[in-house]
Amino acid sequence: MKIHTSDYIKSAPSLKDCPSFGDTPEFALVGRSNVGKSSFLNSMTQRKNLARTSNTPGKTRYINFYTVTYSHPKEVKPTPQSLIFVDLPGYGYAKVSHAEQERWRVGLEGYLAKRDGLRAVIQLIDARHGPQESDIRMFEWLQFQGKKTFVLMTKTDKLSRSDMSRHTVSAARALDISPDAIMLYSAENHFGRDAMWKALQPFLSHKRPLSLRSESEDLPALATTVLDSEEDFY
Ligand code: GTP
Ligand code: MG
């Protein structure tokens, strides 16, 4: 994909503060703190510092909106199209206070469940550790909400090929999906970037798809354990 521009737009604490982009397709990045969501965004947009990354978990604290204009490199007369990437705070970081975790949970949950224009969620999982309890709960919750979810195992540069395929199989088992449904990525060497752009293609139309679920259905809250877990690798 040829990236023309990528820009930070706004940080919003909750759904009601989120800007409206009409029918522009929007993609949200979810995952545990420090898994590499912001790095993924930089890698996809081929920018070093579009989103702030850090070794310290809990760096991203708001719902952060970025616009990207792109075109297909094979087009004779490229017509730039636009999309939105949304970088979200991570879950599963035990060192953040309870009150703050609760604020993030409410913000995340409201955004993911109710955001118009959200076409798909990209859920990042650390390839070395595989899905943790919080990842599994998040994935199940997204499925229940009827959200198209791409599962991406990232930081693959830290694993050998054979470990990678072993970890993919066990991750698929933990999430109860096919290993073929898991995508691999590295924000370090950009492995998987073309495949990710290709996978997004069917969701890039500015025409809004019919919702899979009725808005009025009662939906359960995202289990607090997602944001309140004691899993800690730091
Ligand atoms: P929060 O905003 O705190 O939720 O974290 P995040 O998910 O946005 O993670 P971030 O992108 O800030 O990356 C965390 C750390 O992991 C940084 O030190 C990155 O350089 C590193 N990192 C991210 N992706 C990769 C990757 O694919 N490979 C390697 N080797 N390191 C990565
Ligand atoms: Mg981040």
Side-chain angles (χ1 to χ4, degrees), residues 54-234:
S54 167
N55 243 330
T56 316
K59 185 71 186 172
T60 307
R61 299 200 161 209
Y62 292 105
I63 304 169
N64 296 295
F65 291 87
Y66 296 85
T67 53
V68 179
T69 56
Y70 65 91
S71 63
H72 300 276
K74 285 187 186 139
E75 276 179 332
V76 184
K77 253 192 177 176
T79 326
Q81 309 278 328
S82 54
L83 62 79
I84 313 288
F85 276 128
V86 181
D87 193 13
L88 293 168
Y91 50 75
Y93 180 41
K95 291 193 181 71
V96 171
S97 76
H98 238 70
E100 181 135 17
Q101 289 203 34
E102 187 56 15
R103 260 200 305 281
W104 291 4
R105 184 185 70 78
V106 170
L108 259 184
E109 185 180 315
Y111 167 81
L112 288 169
K114 303 208 179 96
R115 176 68 172 171
D116 271 352
L118 181 61
R119 297 293 164 82
V121 176
I122 302 170
Q123 183 176 9
L124 282 79
I125 290 172
D126 193 315
R128 296 166 300 176
H129 308 300
Q132 304 301 300
E133 181 65 24
S134 55
D135 294 316
I136 296 169
R137 284 187 187 270
M138 173 56 90
F139 180 73
E140 286 173 349
W141 185 80
L142 288 167
Q143 299 314 288
F144 190 83
Q145 298 277 347
K147 302 293 172 194
K148 166 69 190 171
T149 306
F150 292 101
V151 176
L152 205 75
M153 296 203 18
T154 192
K155 304 196 181 179
T156 55
D157 54 284
K158 301 223 179 200
L159 283 181
S160 68
R161 257 172 198 272
S162 60
D163 281 347
M164 201 53 253
S165 55
R166 210 164 38 80
H167 286 209
T168 306
V169 169
S170 60
R173 200 173 302 130
L175 296 171
D176 198 19
I177 57 176
S178 157
D180 298 340
I182 295 184
M183 305 186 71
L184 305 181
Y185 205 90
S186 164
E188 186 77 13
N189 60 25
H190 313 298
F191 175 79
R193 182 163 66 191
D194 290 348
M196 188 69 234
W197 273 113
K198 205 166 170 194
L200 293 181
Q201 296 276 331
F203 302 89
L204 293 177
S205 159
H206 281 232
K207 281 207 189 88
R208 212 174 277 218
L210 288 173
S211 175
L212 290 171
R213 294 186 67 91
S214 144
E215 294 278 317
S216 60
E217 268 181 82
D218 274 344
L219 296 168
L222 176 57
T224 27
T225 46
V226 165
L227 296 166
D228 188 22
S229 107
E230 291 306 315
E231 304 153 1
D232 219 339
F233 300 120
Y234 319 105

Side-chain angles (χ1 to χ4, degrees), residues 32-39 51-54 56 58-61 64 87-90:
R32 299 178 72 256
S33 285
N34 216 233
V35 69
K37 300 175 291 299
S38 302
S39 304
R52 258 184 270 162
T53 65
S54 167
T56 316
K59 185 71 186 172
T60 307
R61 299 200 161 209
N64 296 295
D87 193 13
L88 293 168

